[in-house]
Amino acid sequence: MPMKTIITFGTYDLLHIGHVRLLQRAAKLGDKLIVGVSCSDLNLSKKGRAPVYTTQDRMDIISALACVDEVFVEKSLELKGDYIKQFGADVLVMGDDWEGRFDQFKDICEVVYLPRTQGISTTELIEEIADINPTPESHT
Ligand code: CTP
């Protein structure tokens, strides 16, 4: 059987269990998993804030995962089709927060939306951490 290449994209800031589960499930759909890590400038324009970790650190963390074979920088949302072709991806995997948004690529590859892990996101983590106000007693 020919090798099946999977591609997925994301910010993966403050790596959490939702990210890991998404990548593990994506990897199981084929033989090779390639991850486009969106650069900090792209996130600033997309989400209105820069990631906590640098692009290079986020790429190094993602490439350290056993289920990931290759990482690259996603420089623009408009280039998804080009990346899919460049890496010869057979399947585009996205979390279902993007359901239907990438159906235009169905003419060049299979498009699969996987359910998100409930109850966790980078944004929620940042908010939870910001809400932790240590009382003066905690320093004594
Ligand atoms: N993801 C997931 N389950 C979660 C959070 C994210 O499956 N609980 C998936 C997303 O669907 C996406 C990938 O992980 O395919 C990267 O998501 P990203 O946007 O980087 O993470 P979020 O935690 O959603 O970040 P933010 O809160 O900044 O939007």
Side-chain angles (χ1 to χ4, degrees):
M1 235 178 30
M3 201 177 77
K4 203 169 178 184
T5 300
I6 313 295
I7 196 166
T8 192
F9 298 87
T11 310
Y12 303 101
D13 192 25
L14 305 180
L15 191 75
H16 60 68
I17 193 66
H19 296 147
V20 172
R21 290 198 179 126
L22 186 287
L23 294 170
Q24 287 175 331
R25 283 178 292 154
K28 282 193 183 136
L29 298 177
D31 307 293
K32 182 180 181 185
L33 177 61
I34 302 175
V35 183
V37 173
S38 51
C39 70
S40 294
D41 286 348
L42 180 55
N43 279 275
L44 194 56
S45 60
K46 193 173 68 174
K47 298 188 181 178
R49 66 170 161 78
V52 176
Y53 294 159
T54 63
T55 306
Q56 190 60 55
D57 284 357
R58 287 180 288 113
M59 289 180 70
D60 288 352
I61 290 167
I62 293 299
S63 64
L65 297 175
C67 62
V68 174
D69 297 289
E70 198 174 332
V71 295
F72 67 96
V73 187
E74 182 191 20
K75 293 194 174 137
S76 159
L77 295 177
E78 277 71 53
L79 291 174
K80 277 209 173 55
D82 295 327
Y83 292 131
I84 291 167
K85 287 182 206 153
Q86 185 186 326
F87 289 100
D90 302 292
V91 187
L92 167 64
V93 171
M94 297 298 294
D96 65 1
D97 43 328
W98 297 96
E99 183 80 53
R101 303 259 297 274
F102 295 100
D103 288 356
Q104 75 262 33
F105 299 120
K106 283 184 175 170
D107 55 348
I108 53 169
C109 67
E110 194 185 328
V111 180
V112 175
Y113 302 97
L114 292 178
R116 279 170 71 89
T117 301
Q118 294 305 301
I120 190 155
S121 75
T122 300
T123 305
E124 284 169 58
L125 279 177
I126 290 171
E127 284 166 4
E128 274 176 42
I129 293 164
D131 278 348
I132 299 168
N133 291 311
T135 58
E137 287 79 34
S138 68
H139 296 295
T140 59

